[in-house]
Amino acid sequence: MNSIELGAGPEFDAIRRIVNALGRTADGPGDDCAFLQLGPDWLAISTDTSVEGTHFKRDWLSLPEIGFRATGAALSDLAAVGASAPRILAAITTPDSGAAEQVMTGVGHAAAATDAVIIGGDLTRSRDLSITITVIGRTTQPVYRSGARAGDSIWVSGELGLARAALESWQRGDPPTPAARDRFVHPLPRLKAGQWLAAHGASAMLDLSDG
């Protein structure tokens, strides 16, 4: 099992309880992706859910922007482990099938921006809007968080804090700056940077997202 000690906080406490309940059927919690060996390569797999009222509000974002942001955030997990050739599955719950079409337009734009391919998904009617993005990539050498060691370098791409600045502006009832809003809406996963770092012997890459 390749995993790391989970940190403090309610979310990690819940994960620990779930892992304990699953017992031997759980393997490898704590990394950005799950890994499955496929011949000489590994598949890197991750899934991420965005829920209306928790992760976004329609007052802040258009439906295509909601799809783009959810997809970019999920693809960032592949960037963090150095994976390439991303594939995407999108599961949408919505009270309006027309809304699903608009959300998927944003998913498609995010896929085009990262040379990803959408291979499937699911559509379910529900009172609230949510989108779950599952991403699959390929790597010859999985990069685990447990590979981090004291003294390792931390590499940062992009500008830090703009997405947070946008969120705090909205929460105050103020419009964010155009730069901050764009970073919140369009997180661009640094897939090329992640692959380069993995190829050059980086032992751990954390948060290779844009924003």
Side-chain angles (χ1 to χ4, degrees):
M1 176 186 295
N2 289 285
S3 61
I4 62 172
E5 293 293 331
L6 299 175
E11 181 179 359
F12 288 134
D13 289 341
I15 293 173
R16 270 186 286 268
R17 291 193 298 270
I18 292 169
V19 171
N20 288 335
L22 292 174
R24 293 183 178 180
T25 62
D27 183 25
D31 283 300
D32 292 281
C33 292
F35 296 101
L36 296 176
Q37 191 162 14
L38 189 66
D41 296 339
W42 295 76
L43 292 181
I45 307 167
S46 183
T47 190
D48 193 60
T49 298
S50 295
V51 180
E52 185 174 7
T54 300
H55 301 97
F56 63 85
K57 293 185 179 181
R58 296 204 207 190
D59 292 343
W60 301 350
L61 308 178
S62 69
L63 291 171
E65 288 174 338
I66 290 167
F68 192 109
R69 187 173 194 280
T71 306
L75 286 168
S76 290
D77 285 343
L78 295 184
V81 301
S84 62
R87 299 293 186 267
I88 298 169
L89 295 101
I92 299 175
T93 65
T94 175
D96 177 10
S97 59
E101 181 179 351
Q102 293 185 60
V103 170
M104 284 304 300
T105 297
V107 175
H109 290 161
T114 53
D115 294 326
V117 177
I118 301 167
I119 60 172
D122 186 51
L123 178 61
T124 305
R125 186 175 295 277
S126 175
R127 183 183 62 183
D128 300 315
L129 174 63
S130 70
I131 176 170
T132 297
I133 299 293
T134 299
V135 293
I136 305 169
R138 185 184 294 267
T139 177
T140 57
Q141 178 60 54
V143 177
Y144 300 102
R145 287 188 177 188
S146 57
R149 298 289 182 269
D152 284 351
S153 298
I154 297 177
W155 294 48
V156 176
S157 60
E159 297 178 71
L160 298 179
L162 284 175
R164 179 70 183 186
L167 176 61
E168 292 180 351
S169 293
W170 276 312
Q171 290 174 335
R172 291 194 308 268
D174 299 327
T177 66
R181 187 184 189 282
D182 184 66
R183 191 59 56 86
F184 184 92
V185 171
H186 299 117
L188 292 176
R190 304 306 179 101
L191 290 160
K192 297 295 186 183
Q195 293 161 34
W196 185 91
L197 288 168
H200 288 77
S203 61
M205 296 176 290
L206 306 181
D207 195 18
L208 275 171
S209 60
D210 185 16

